[in-house]
Amino acid sequence: MHPNGKDDLKVPLLRPADGVTASLSTTDHRKDDRVRSVSFKVSDIKCASCAVSIESAVRKLNGVKSVSVSPLQGHAAVTYIPELINARKIKECIEEAGFAVSEFPEQDIVVCRLRIKGMACTSCSESVERALSMVDGVKKAVVGLALEEAKVHYDGNITDTNRIIEAIEDAGFGADLITTGNDLNKVHLKLEGVNCPEDAAVIQTTLELAEGVNEVEMDLAGEKVVIAYDPDLTGPRSLIHCIKEASHGSKSYNASLYIAPRRRESEQQEEVRMYRNQFLLSCLFSVPVFIFSMVLPMLHPYGNWLEYKIYNMLSIGMLLRWMLCTPVQFVIGRRFYVGAYHALRRKSTNMDVLVALGTNAAYFYSVYVMIKALTSDKFEGQDFFETSSMLISFILLGKYLEIVAKGKTSDALAKLTDLAPDTACLVKLDNDGNVISEEEISTQLIQRNDVFKIIPGSKVPVDGIVITGQSHVNESMITGEATPVAKRPGDKVIGGTMNENGCLLVKATHVGSETALSQIVQLVEAAQLARAPVQKLADQISRFFVPTVVVAAFFTWLGWFILGLIGLYPTWWIPKAMDGFELALQFGISVLVVACPCALGLATPTAVMVATGKGASQGVLIKGGDALEKAHKVKTVVFDKTGTLTIGKPAVVSAVLFSSYSMEEFCDLATAAEVNSEHPIAKAVMEHAKRLRKKFGSSTDHNAEVKDFEVHPGAGDYLSENEQMARSCVLVAIDGKIAGAFAVTDPVKPEAGRVISFLHSMGISSIMVTGDNWATAKAISKQVGIQEVFAETDPVGKADRIKDLQMKGMTVAMVGDGINDSPALVAADVGMAIGAGTDVAIEAADIVLIKSNLEDVITAIHLSRKTMSRIRLNYVWALGYNVLGLPIAAGILYPFTGIRLPPWLAGACMAASSLSVVCSSLLLQSYKKPLDVHDARGQNYCPKSA
């Protein structure tokens, strides 16, 4: 992020890359935002009585506040409450009255994010997506399995979040609303002195009449209020003051900031606690079952008491195993029944179906054996109660470990969220800029244009601009740049960064959701939710995976049973106390429970979550799995010149004297001539003079001014040597004689040459496309080591060059920073925008390089390659596990080695496979950059100065 500059202080530093935004009807800030207006073009209105008929019909609808119909224009305007009715129902009412609606209002697309509970595998996320897509008014729904969230775009005139949540719950999953498109600027306040509905009504009315308030939601029971507001017009402290001002007579009201608990963290901790408790509870029953069935019978005479017959052939051991197994099967294992029921009701299958089938087969066969033993004095059979209980215990253990590991995949995002400090020091200034008071307040109470003080060692609370003081600020937590950045009046500071050594007074320019930190978090969350194309493999497999496994398990049981029945294998293959049917049943159950669809579903999203979070912490914002996947295929990188390969601002790189004047005198006279000029080169001369003053120890910043100042564009001579180096030469004449010259250029970024060389070592070619002239383009390309150059190219021409390269079969990345680069950024397979560039370029790009350092081009591509390699490894492990595990569970090794996989051990293997995939993805957290900017700066790429 470029640290300096006062331009666009009200424009967010980064903007979300989502193409769909909330477009709400325009309402007065002083009115209730819950009321909307909609207009229709109605045909067949022939007279005033027709208009009256329409008005009468519409007015009867519950939720309509007013309706006005113009018979001359055929126009109907309706004001309504969206919570009670929507525009489509109003349209249908007009049509039922016998009139055609020829123009329907444009859709108000709203975006909401939901937390989804109960998803276990890819088929679950697909089921949620199908359920959402069937909701009338939903335009697009994306569900992230690893993130356990859904992002839904819907028409606010047709549906709302309540109906969307109902659809998810009907599909068998839980859902909680995280945010809607209207939640970007909301504050939650805790109320004091509100004891009855009348008090609540007074506060609500007062707030609704306040300037900048868009919506007020009262919670009388919880004594809280949620206020949506326009940060340009008001802020949290103003709203609290407004509530205090509503006090009247003996009624005194107050409010304070209410910080809601972090739902994601609390729910994750609750889920971890739930699985841990269920596992421990299951062990309380399963371990004795295992001991009674597998351990004590082998320890004679200690286990002999288990064989004591209670009635007929029913033994104490069998009865105890049944009593201990039943709570595990139906109480602790209830979640598998519920999950299987909802999956089958949706006409789909998931892991719960496999577990329910496997454990039921073992349990109910064991019950059959127990009943036969109870009713017969000769029957001998083996029960499998330990199979059922141990299987459920191992699966719960695997889910517990998996949830713990999945929580670590979002560590990078959590660290970003925690960067902002909890409090800030708010100051008030008098007319002369002197501090007259200081107050410590919550960071969430800061409003735009507030002035706050940052002492050494404290964090910057929100984005702002320095008005007083000098210091160095460590921005590594946002940009990844380790070297502290100098800050002085006029420079921008970023919320969440650390002030090093000086005291600063900063004016807030971006607060709440507009801060760079908030927008980085939003971009990373969107990226983690987006599905990578490589995920399609798992999606396709998941559709037929479980049915195939069920069929395979059935034929495994049938095959072993028939082979034993007709005597095609020796009887000594059958373990003691079993018969052929029971051996076949064990093989069938093992096949059911060893298969793991979850590992396939987690292979891609967990790796994308870790990679995007790690990239953000390194200063590289990757907007989704699609960009992450395409970047690893890049073979050609196209660079813009100005602001990308170069600094983007003219600077004096050398100064030469041709007279007896000292350099200090020479610069003072030159700045006197340039002080009133707005030309970029003049500004470069001024900056150079300031640096020289500091070098010579001058304490004054005052610049002398010349009289009769005139501008003569293009009238200066030039030196051919500097022109060949892409420099502009400014000649300075004193008393009619040339006294010296300045060489001015847009310097090449120090790391540019090293980056181009490193890309070449990665097998990636570099091309420069610029709108500048050929002489400058060739000089810059020679300096950085780029062989292929296209100069004097307009924005459309840049995009055409990209397409020409793509026609040759190349995967092309474009790196740019300006509005003129946006067509090329969109045309490229991967667009990379410099963080200090324009908002248009950042929105058009797939990847944002926050620091504006070219080394991050390498980081983005290299991280993409590492991530795709990790995803492929995850798929190899997940698929390989199933390919090897299923035959072994089916008993393919048993005839040759005597090795078979008992069902409880097969369940443990299934649980371990998901855990291994998540842990494999977590290894990406150890990713390190292949090239560091400080290495590049150590090379001789810096421009020389005389």
Side-chain angles (χ1 to χ4, degrees), residues 395-430:
I395 291 172
L396 290 173
L397 173 62
K399 291 298 293 183
Y400 165 69
L401 296 175
E402 179 188 323
I403 295 298
V404 171
K406 279 170 65 177
K408 296 183 182 298
T409 61
S410 57
D411 277 355
L413 186 61
K415 289 177 182 176
L416 281 174
T417 307
D418 292 337
L419 284 178
D422 295 328
T423 60
C425 181
L426 180 71
V427 301
K428 290 185 179 180
L429 307 178
D430 59 18

Side-chain angles (χ1 to χ4, degrees), residues 90 174 257 440 778 807 928 933:
I90 298 172
L257 185 67
E440 186 174 293
K778 286 181 178 178
M807 291 292 289
K928 296 187 183 299
V933 69

Side-chain angles (χ1 to χ4, degrees), residues 559-574 579-581 583-584 587 894-895:
W560 277 99
F561 178 64
I562 292 175
L563 290 175
L565 197 64
I566 62 179
L568 288 182
Y569 63 79
T571 55
W572 58 266
W573 282 12
I574 303 175
D579 57 24
F581 176 85
L583 178 64
F587 282 127
Y894 190 62

Side-chain angles (χ1 to χ4, degrees), residues 310-360:
I310 300 175
Y311 185 79
N312 285 338
M313 298 302 292
L314 178 65
S315 65
I316 290 179
M318 187 179 293
L319 181 63
L320 287 175
R321 289 192 291 271
W322 170 74
M323 293 173 62
L324 291 168
C325 176
T326 300
V328 178
Q329 181 70 34
F330 297 107
V331 180
I332 300 172
R334 179 179 178 273
R335 62 180 309 277
F336 300 112
Y337 285 101
V338 173
Y341 165 74
H342 286 298
L344 295 173
R345 194 166 69 91
R346 299 189 300 265
K347 297 180 181 179
S348 65
T349 51
N350 59 11
M351 185 196 76
D352 293 331
V353 174
L354 295 178
V355 174
L357 282 174
T359 56
N360 278 337

Side-chain angles (χ1 to χ4, degrees), residues 640 769-772 790-802 814 819-824:
D640 174 48
V769 178
T770 179
D772 215 334
F790 298 98
E792 300 176 1
T793 307
D794 60 19
V796 177
K798 290 182 180 181
D800 290 339
R801 294 293 183 187
I802 298 288
M814 170 70 192
I819 294 175
N820 62 330
D821 296 322
S822 55

